[in-house]
Amino acid sequence: MNHKKLSLIASAVLLALSPTLHAQEKTSAADEMIVVTASRLEATQQEKTRSIDVVDQKKLAEIQPTSVADALKFEPNVSVVGGNVPGNQSVNIRGLQDNKILQVVDGNRQNFSFDHRPSYFLDPSLLSEVKVIKGPISSLYGSGAIGGVVIQNTINAADIVDGQGLGGRIKTGYQDNGDVWTNAAAIASQSDRINWLLAGSTRDTGAMEQGNGHKLYGTESKDTTGLAKLNWQANAANRLGLSLRYSDRDGHPPVVGSTDPAAADTLIDRDTKDQNITLSYNLNPSSELINLDVSVYHNLSEISETATTGNGKDLSKITTLGFKVTNLSKAGDVQLYTGLDGYQDKLNAKRGEGEQGRPTPPDGAETTTLGAFAYVNYALTNSIGLDAGLRYDTFTSEADGYQDNDESALSPSAGISWQAASWMQWSLRYDEAFRAPSTTELFTDGTHFTMFSIPGIGPVTNTFIPNSDLKPEKAKNIELKGQFDFENLLAEDKLSLTAAVFRNEVKDFINLEVDVPGNQAMMGCIMGSGSGIGCAGTSRSVNVDRAELEGYELSAVYQIENLTAGLSYGQTRGKDKADGSWLENVPADKWVAQLEYGFWQIDTNVGTRVMFVSDQDRVKEGETYQGYQTADFYASWEPMSSLDGLKVDFTVANAFDENYRIAWNQVYQPGRSFRLSAQYTF
């Protein structure tokens, strides 16, 4: 980051802090409970106008997921991508995935996303909830949120300790498919002034099997995760926080998790490390004009793996240094939320000694981003609410030997909600978003793949061509949502219905264009140059004209006494506007039905989730993907007697051993697994 931008950021932070200094002097110490800072979504009151799915601790315990993506597989228009190895899996939202989906962990961006490497590092056993925000939302989160955001919140002291005092939790779990053992422990304390938490987990995974009994090579891994949090309420107005997070995964996956099934001799050794440290400060004096949050954070994500050729290890490391400043003000019916944030990503990537035939990432490349936003909420009447926001971002990517990529983007947002009746609410919103091209898309060169080898000539390869002129992807989304809540229809019952329809148009869509010449041109290149390097064509990231994704989601939940029934449906269609062809990576249509019953006299809750996925035949060319049906059963026992604090969960995932693969994946998913866990909170 150059000195000019450092000065700009420092000045902006001081400017944001200056109006609050006098107010801080007027505060006095008071014994108040620590208040959790609201998320950006909550601060702007958008829960009612956006499509959001939440997987809370109850649902996490029922699913007992093997990965963060696995926890989201039942949500409409959300699917698992990246293959069948849990450590490689990520999330697709409404047909967009990878770096088109922003990942946020405990309020901070997680920017590690490139090539075929994993990007979701957290052990689900340390999560308190996972939220999926569907659709563009760069007005709050900046670059990357053109398809949505996956928000992961880890456990905190309040999840362990009820009220004040010292408490803890121990948990152990086992899954038979893959002989998976998971152990987790946490200790925490809460008081008027201080709360803290220490937590950790280990997971040991063996070889899994798919539904037909065939072995899934590459699922073996050992995972270790650590978490520490400390918050100090210095007085009634000032709070300081520190959090540390660490994860390490030692696995043996295939190079590309979603392609053809890997044989045992094609696996690699991969060690993945992810670290975060965050310092935070909150100023909330007795003024409705000031509720200030300031934080700085440092992420280090590093993957080292055995080179497929040559000696030594490949290294892929991204270091992120970032800051955030936000303030929430209220004046009558008007609420104003403003913010300034920025980050710098630095990429370090090296190949093993003597390695050939691989892409060459831009070692030492940097991306610097600075953004500012303002969001207004206004209650027009008792039944009509308005919100509007605008964000401006400037970003620069640079690498030695290449032209800098310097761009900026405006991200407007507007919404209106109407409480038409006590049981009916409508909302309509419009959002624009962007994603800046990554340094690997801009600057990667070297070999993409080898077509074949000729004795005396060597490999005939397809090579990457850098493109530093890439433009940012831009999305424009309009969405209509209806929420209908009924009570006492047949008895003391409840029925909740939700429907949403959307259209997301993405301009300057970044696509990897692979050009392979015909046999005659290929042989002419080989004969003319005496080498096969580059004679199998070129690969280059380019901006394509427009892509359009549209669809809808429906959900219904009915509850009467101890019985709960749910049904959801998601459908997305995606087309290239230039030629009308179908887009890749758009998930198949999906129904999910749930039935749950509480046997409270024995402190037990049982249920089932059944997923019906349609054929995916909307492809440009080649094979279609066959639909499938899976059924999960779960039971939870949480005694309220002398065994208070004990909780036992039992899950049968893919109970009928369906042998299936998710659309756009060539590999099949794991078959039936029995999952048992027990935890004790004290």
Side-chain angles (χ1 to χ4, degrees):
M1 183 186 297
N2 58 46
H3 294 294
K4 182 179 179 181
K5 288 197 172 182
L6 278 173
S7 301
L8 175 62
I9 291 174
S11 301
V13 172
L14 290 173
L15 182 62
L17 288 172
S18 59
T20 69
L21 297 179
H22 181 66
Q24 182 177 353
E25 294 173 358
K26 293 184 177 181
T27 61
S28 60
D31 294 331
E32 295 186 358
M33 291 297 294
I34 295 172
V35 179
V36 177
T37 301
S39 70
R40 293 188 176 190
L41 199 67
E42 295 165 338
T44 53
Q45 303 176 19
Q46 295 185 52
E47 297 96 330
K48 294 181 179 180
T49 61
R50 290 192 180 275
S51 294
I52 304 168
D53 294 328
V54 180
V55 178
D56 57 13
Q57 285 195 10
K58 175 180 179 295
K59 196 168 183 179
L60 286 167
E62 293 165 356
I63 299 171
Q64 298 193 58
T66 57
S67 67
V68 173
D70 189 41
L72 302 172
K73 64 185 177 183
F74 294 111
E75 309 309 316
N77 278 333
V78 178
S79 63
V80 178
V81 297
N84 50 29
V85 177
N88 282 1
Q89 292 174 339
S90 59
V91 179
N92 179 300
I93 304 174
R94 293 178 173 177
L96 298 175
Q97 62 190 49
D98 300 328
N99 52 18
K100 296 172 176 58
I101 303 297
L102 179 63
Q103 185 184 171
V104 174
V105 180
D106 287 337
N108 297 325
R109 299 175 62 96
Q110 182 74 41
N111 288 342
F112 190 94
S113 178
F114 69 94
D115 296 335
H116 305 290
R117 290 162 177 79
S119 58
Y120 285 74
F121 306 120
L122 280 180
D123 182 348
S125 63
L126 294 183
L127 288 172
S128 63
E129 68 173 9
V130 184
K131 286 185 179 180
V132 176
I133 306 174
K134 300 175 182 177
I137 189 170
S138 285
S139 56
L140 286 180
Y141 290 98
S143 176
I146 65 172
V149 182
V150 177
I151 298 175
Q152 302 154 72
N153 294 319
T154 58
I155 58 174
N156 53 49
D159 295 313
I160 307 297
V161 180
D162 187 10
Q164 297 191 19
L166 179 69
R169 175 180 295 166
I170 54 175
K171 181 177 182 179
T172 187
Y174 177 73
Q175 173 184 311
D176 72 318
N177 191 348
D179 196 27
V180 183
W181 283 98
T182 302
N183 296 288
I187 185 170
S189 174
Q190 288 199 121
S191 66
D192 291 335
R193 294 299 186 104
I194 296 176
N195 70 34
W196 57 266
L197 172 138
L198 294 173
S201 70
T202 62
R203 182 186 295 259
D204 191 344
T205 304
M208 297 182 181
E209 292 183 351
Q210 62 189 59
N212 63 3
H214 290 175
K215 185 177 180 179
L216 293 176
Y217 291 101
T219 58
E220 300 93 332
S221 69
K222 294 182 183 297
D223 298 74
T224 303
T225 306
L227 187 66
K229 295 183 179 182
L230 173 65
N231 291 287
W232 174 43
Q233 191 79 38
N235 53 41
N238 295 272
R239 184 175 76 252
L240 295 170
L242 169 67
S243 68
L244 304 169
R245 188 182 71 249
Y246 172 82
S247 66
D248 182 283
R249 175 182 296 127
D250 182 10
H252 310 280
V255 176
V256 183
S258 60
T259 57
D260 294 335
D265 59 355
T266 64
L267 303 178
I268 61 173
D269 293 327
R270 175 182 285 164
D271 186 28
T272 303
K273 290 181 171 63
D274 181 59
Q275 304 171 30
N276 169 270
I277 180 171
T278 300
L279 294 170
S280 60
Y281 169 70
N282 173 256
L283 174 64
N284 190 9
S286 55
S287 169
E288 290 196 337
L289 297 179
I290 301 171
N291 188 351
L292 179 75
D293 283 298
V294 181
S295 66
V296 293
Y297 63 95
H298 179 272
N299 291 339
L300 175 61
S301 302
E302 179 179 340
I303 293 179
S304 62
E305 56 193 26
T306 53
T308 55
T309 62
N311 302 309
K313 289 183 175 290
D314 288 351
L315 174 68
S316 304
K317 180 171 70 173
I318 289 183
T319 304
T320 302
L321 180 62
F323 77 94
K324 300 175 294 180
V325 181
T326 62
N327 186 66
L328 180 63
S329 302
K330 298 179 181 179
D333 294 330
V334 178
Q335 177 177 288
L336 176 64
Y337 186 61
T338 55
L340 177 72
D341 54 41
Y343 61 89
Q344 182 188 61
D345 286 335
K346 184 174 182 179
L347 170 66
N348 294 106
K350 298 183 183 300
R351 294 303 185 197
E353 182 180 352
E355 186 175 1
Q356 298 177 352
R358 296 292 308 281
T360 306
D363 184 40
E366 294 183 357
T367 297
T368 304
T369 300
L370 183 66
F373 66 88
Y375 222 100
V376 178
N377 293 87
Y378 177 63
L380 186 62
T381 68
N382 290 333
S383 60
I384 298 177
L386 305 176
D387 67 77
L390 182 65
R391 180 184 175 102
Y392 175 76
D393 285 272
T394 177
F395 41 92
T396 300
S397 294
E398 53 190 33
D400 290 342
Y402 297 99
Q403 179 183 343
D404 292 355
N405 182 274
D406 195 348
E407 296 279 355
S408 62
L410 277 174
S411 303
S413 175
I416 181 171
S417 63
W418 175 38
Q419 191 73 47
S422 60
W423 54 272
M424 177 172 59
Q425 183 184 62
W426 292 96
S427 66
L428 178 67
R429 68 173 310 105
Y430 173 80
D431 295 276
E432 294 187 14
F434 76 99
R435 182 186 74 85
S438 68
T439 52
T440 53
E441 290 169 326
L442 290 164
F443 306 125
T444 293
D445 58 14
T447 299
H448 185 193
F449 57 85
T450 298
M451 183 73 74
F452 54 85
S453 292
I454 301 176
I457 297 293
V460 179
T461 65
N462 180 285
T463 58
F464 278 106
I465 297 178
N467 183 5
S468 58
D469 294 324
L470 281 175
K471 301 176 182 178
E473 296 176 319
K474 300 181 181 68
K476 297 180 179 180
N477 185 72
I478 186 168
E479 184 160 348
L480 175 67
K481 179 183 173 184
Q483 178 75 39
F484 314 94
D485 299 298
F486 306 94
E487 294 184 354
N488 304 319
L489 294 174
L490 302 176
E492 292 186 4
D493 57 355
K494 295 180 180 179
L495 174 64
S496 178
L497 304 173
T498 305
V501 59
F502 65 91
R503 174 177 290 176
N504 187 12
E505 187 173 289
V506 183
K507 183 181 178 182
D508 291 326
F509 199 88
I510 296 176
N511 184 55
L512 182 62
E513 187 176 81
V514 181
D515 180 24
V516 179
N519 291 336
Q520 184 175 355
M522 194 180 303
M523 294 308 297
C525 172
I526 296 170
M527 298 301 292
S529 64
S531 169
I533 303 300
C535 290
T538 59
S539 297
R540 187 173 188 244
S541 292
V542 296
N543 293 109
V544 299
D545 187 19
R546 287 188 303 163
E548 185 177 82
L549 297 124
E550 58 184 14
Y552 59 91
E553 292 134 13
L554 306 171
S555 66
V557 178
Y558 178 72
Q559 185 175 13
I560 181 170
E561 296 183 347
N562 297 358
L563 178 68
T564 301
L567 184 67
S568 68
Y569 176 72
Q571 179 188 108
T572 301
R573 300 288 183 265
K575 284 192 173 184
D576 185 333
K577 296 291 288 183
D579 58 13
S581 61
W582 296 110
L583 293 178
E584 295 182 353
N585 300 320
V586 176
D589 302 347
K590 180 174 67 180
W591 288 93
V592 175
Q594 180 185 9
L595 193 64
E596 181 177 290
Y597 191 82
F599 295 94
W600 304 131
Q601 66 275 18
I602 57 173
D603 303 320
T604 301
N605 189 53
V606 299
T608 182
R609 288 185 177 89
V610 182
M611 184 161 55
F612 304 89
V613 179
S614 303
D615 294 346
Q616 177 55 293
D617 53 8
R618 292 171 293 278
V619 298
K620 285 186 176 181
E621 56 185 24
E623 65 176 327
T624 61
Y625 299 90
Q626 185 176 354
Y628 55 90
Q629 301 81 42
T630 65
D632 286 22
F633 298 94
Y634 60 89
S636 298
W637 179 54
E638 192 169 8
M640 304 299 291
S641 58
S642 58
L643 295 174
D644 186 27
L646 177 66
K647 187 174 187 291
V648 179
D649 292 287
F650 178 65
T651 303
V652 185
N654 192 6
F656 300 111
D657 223 11
E658 178 85 353
N659 191 40
Y660 72 98
R661 58 177 178 165
I662 300 169
W664 310 106
N665 285 256
Q666 301 302 316
V667 294
Y668 285 79
Q669 296 298 306
R672 177 174 50 238
S673 63
F674 296 95
R675 304 173 182 178
L676 178 65
S677 68
Q679 72 175 35
Y680 182 65
T681 304
F682 55 91

